[in-house]
Amino acid sequence: MAEEQIGIPYAWGGGDRIGPSPGFCDDLNGYLDGVCLADSTIGFDCSGLTLYAWYTASGGAVDLPHYTAAQYRTNPHVDRNELRPGDLLYFSRPDALLHHTGIYAGGQAMIHAERTGTRVARLENVFQDSQWGPQYAGAVRPAP
């Protein structure tokens, strides 16, 4: 499911159980160069992509919240050495705890919706990536 979304635009707040949707702008998010793009973009944010992919792949049995931290808190955690395709990866930094999620694609790759102005993409070697590797915070394997 996630692979099929590669190329869909990022939209802050976008994405739900049925697919990409319009996003919205809040005080800080959804803007590119001072212009609100999210409310005029049909796409996914990071947690919208993960909830859609899991809901669709599970035939509706897994219904994740549309909030990164809630997805992490409410699902069984998985050790990095036991990752399987479909597991969800989470990232944090001192100024933004659990600020991003992506879908483990196997072979140390991740599919994710990164930020306003980008599209859903596959990132190879996520754990060695200069941005995402140091921010890796953990993984979960959603369950019904």
Side-chain angles (χ1 to χ4, degrees):
M1 291 289 117
E3 290 267 348
E4 296 168 8
Q5 306 314 306
I6 291 174
I8 300 290
Y10 180 97
W12 173 260
D16 58 25
R17 292 167 194 85
I18 60 172
S21 67
F24 62 90
C25 294
D26 64 15
D27 291 339
L28 301 173
N29 300 294
Y31 298 89
L32 183 63
D33 298 327
V35 176
C36 175
L37 293 184
D39 63 3
S40 63
T41 301
I42 295 174
F44 291 106
D45 67 5
C46 64
S47 60
L49 175 65
T50 57
L51 81 83
Y52 169 74
W54 265 95
Y55 187 82
T56 304
S58 71
V62 175
D63 192 7
L64 298 170
H66 193 164
Y67 182 60
T68 299
Q71 290 180 3
Y72 185 76
R73 280 194 316 268
T74 59
N75 287 285
H77 292 216
V78 178
D79 186 87
R80 183 171 151 183
N81 296 328
E82 297 175 10
L83 288 172
R84 296 191 309 221
D87 289 344
L88 302 181
L89 307 178
Y90 292 86
F91 302 86
S92 68
R93 56 183 191 251
D95 67 322
L97 298 177
L98 295 177
H99 69 92
H100 189 64
T101 184
I103 302 165
Y104 186 65
Q108 299 209 7
M110 170 178 75
I111 298 168
H112 68 143
E114 187 173 355
R115 67 180 183 284
T116 302
T118 67
R119 295 179 177 272
V120 175
R122 179 182 174 106
L123 174 65
E124 302 296 335
N125 301 312
V126 63
F127 301 113
Q128 287 77 41
D129 184 80
S130 61
Q131 177 181 353
W132 298 110
Q135 293 184 33
Y136 177 73
V140 303
R141 184 170 297 142

